Amino acid sequence: MNSAASVTAKPIRVALLGCGTVGTQIVRLLTEQADELAARVGTRVELVGIAVRRPNKHREVPAELLTTDAAGLVASPDVDVVVEVIGGIEPTRTWLLAALTAGKSVVTANKALLAEHAGELFEAADASGADLYFEAAVAGAIPLLRPLRESLAGDRITRVMGIVNGTTNFILSAMDETGAGYAETLDEASRLGYAEADPTADVDGFDAASKAAILASLAFHTRVTAGDVYREGISAVTSADFAAARALGRTIKLLAICERVFTTGEDGAPEESVAVRVHPAMIPRSHPLAGVSGAFNAVFVEAEAAGQLMFYGQGAGGAPTASAVLGDLVAVARNRVVGGRGPRESAYADLAVRPIAQASTRYHISLDVADRAGVLAAVAAEFAQHEVSIAAVRQEGRATDASLVIVTHSAPDAALRSTVDKVAGLPFVHDVVSVMRVEGEDS
Ligand code: HSE
């Protein structure tokens, strides 16, 4: 390979904030692939400093690069690009705003920060002409944000539906395979290192909600923050839910769903809005997302002209996440070499975000009921009363009671909730075994 001949511009000098699992892999790849990266960028990409909290804990990276002064490193005139893999909101937000304000491009994997403060970061980037790239913030190694920001920029995206959290997908896949309950499967995932010591951000859906906000913002050209995302985690999913799903050829996944919604306003005019939600849902086993097992991520994108697209791969881990960071670093370095910029924030559509009560989905409701005349009719009457249309009913008699499964057509969340409350109070309904949204089927 003869790369040196084409590498003539000034080197691009990089500061790395954080050197954990991902940071260590970034340092390794930057070192091992230095010549190839130089050839791809058109100049050398040099690591000039690594900010960490405890330098004596990082024997695997060159000691002379380590500093505890992240703010000083960001402010250094010897830095062109800041790569951030620390996470959290503060002080990271302050450091990245300082970098962007000073015209230094930023590459970050920080989903929580992007899901709260993307607008402010983009404004700082615009003011100075710097780049802000964040491919690693959603679905790790999977090239997903660049396709949304660039490859699909000529299309209209209608829906993004994905598995964007590996920990919960590992747990749900294991529950499906073994028939075990949630608590014991979480314990096993922790023992195997698939769940953090404090798994709250993953199992309660916060991590997926941040990613959903980022995906929705890019897909619909609208600022969506984590607070706009309806969120339910997986801790209430039971082995009975899985049994109910299995009986009808379905499985359960924690899905992040971002949709463009078309409605008619009170004045009869067409209205467009977005709905963004994270919750467990039953999907048919034939759906492409049903086959995504273990800690893998996958995202299904629907666009008006492109049709259906599927992105699949590793959503976490040192080397996979470093791959996405390095891809961004090459892009911002190239932009600096040629004097251009990557895509800016695109929030021109400024669509309203619909509350979950107005979101419509299909539901699967499993009940234990008394097995006698009139029960089915009375349950069905409650659905009719709330204008929730029934798509399918399945009843299995047991000794003195029966299992009754009702699948609805698409219905507003609020109507379904009221229906289930009423049904649960009927004297011959012994138990509401499972209530779950159904996705990936015609409405
Ligand atoms: N904790 C995340 C997951 C990875 O389990 O997928 C980082 O976003």
Side-chain angles (χ1 to χ4, degrees), residues 111 137 164-168 194 196 202 207 211 295 297 315-316:
K111 58 201 159 259
V164 293
N165 183 270
T167 304
T168 47
Y194 283 100
E196 305 265 353
D202 294 316
D207 176 81
K211 293 167 178 170
N297 283 194

Side-chain angles (χ1 to χ4, degrees), residues 171-374:
I171 294 169
L172 293 176
S173 302
M175 287 175 74
D176 193 18
E177 279 161 26
T178 63
Y182 169 73
E184 62 183 293
T185 310
L186 171 59
D187 285 348
E188 179 70 356
S190 306
R191 202 181 58 75
L192 295 172
Y194 283 100
E196 305 265 353
D198 177 1
T200 311
D202 294 316
V203 300
D204 287 349
F206 290 101
D207 176 81
S210 292
K211 293 167 178 170
I214 295 169
L215 290 173
S217 300
L218 299 184
F220 305 130
H221 306 275
T222 289
R223 275 187 192 173
V224 179
T225 64
D228 294 324
V229 181
Y230 173 77
R231 177 187 53 77
E232 272 176 40
I234 64 164
S235 58
V237 178
T238 63
S239 48
D241 289 327
F242 270 103
R246 210 171 292 123
L248 287 179
R250 298 185 176 113
T251 187
I252 299 170
K253 295 292 185 187
L254 181 73
L255 298 180
I257 301 172
C258 316
E259 291 169 312
R260 197 187 280 274
V261 182
F262 300 95
T263 47
T264 306
E266 279 173 15
D267 59 357
E271 285 181 355
E272 203 176 340
S273 56
V274 299
V276 192
R277 51 202 163 92
V278 167
H279 54 69
M282 290 187 187
I283 55 172
R285 286 193 182 270
S286 56
H287 193 281
L289 291 176
V292 177
S293 60
F296 277 83
N297 283 194
V299 178
F300 202 66
V301 176
E302 294 173 43
E304 281 181 3
Q308 298 180 330
L309 305 158
M310 173 98 159
F311 299 82
Y312 171 85
Q314 297 194 65
T321 309
S323 164
V325 170
L326 264 283
D328 279 355
L329 181 53
V330 167
V332 303
R334 279 177 180 154
N335 292 344
R336 291 186 92 83
V337 168
V338 299
R341 280 186 76 192
R344 301 159 56 171
E345 182 186 31
S346 178
Y348 68 89
D350 196 22
L351 298 173
V353 181
R354 290 169 77 81
I356 186 69
Q358 292 173 13
S360 283
T361 45
R362 305 185 77 192
Y363 283 84
H364 175 123
I365 300 114
S366 175
L367 308 169
D368 272 350
V369 296
D371 194 2
R372 58 171 191 260

Side-chain angles (χ1 to χ4, degrees), residues 10-61:
K10 281 199 306 183
I12 301 294
R13 299 157 303 173
V14 178
L16 177 64
L17 308 184
C19 199
T21 318
V22 177
T24 308
Q25 292 301 316
I26 292 171
V27 176
R28 179 180 70 79
L29 292 170
L30 271 175
T31 310
E32 289 177 8
Q33 303 180 8
D35 290 344
E36 281 180 84
L37 291 172
R40 290 172 199 167
V41 169
T43 190
R44 296 197 75 78
V45 179
E46 283 177 6
L47 188 57
V48 295
I50 307 172
V52 294
R53 249 188 302 182
R54 286 180 290 272
N56 56 359
K57 290 192 80 181
H58 297 277
R59 305 207 188 284
E60 67 290 352
V61 298

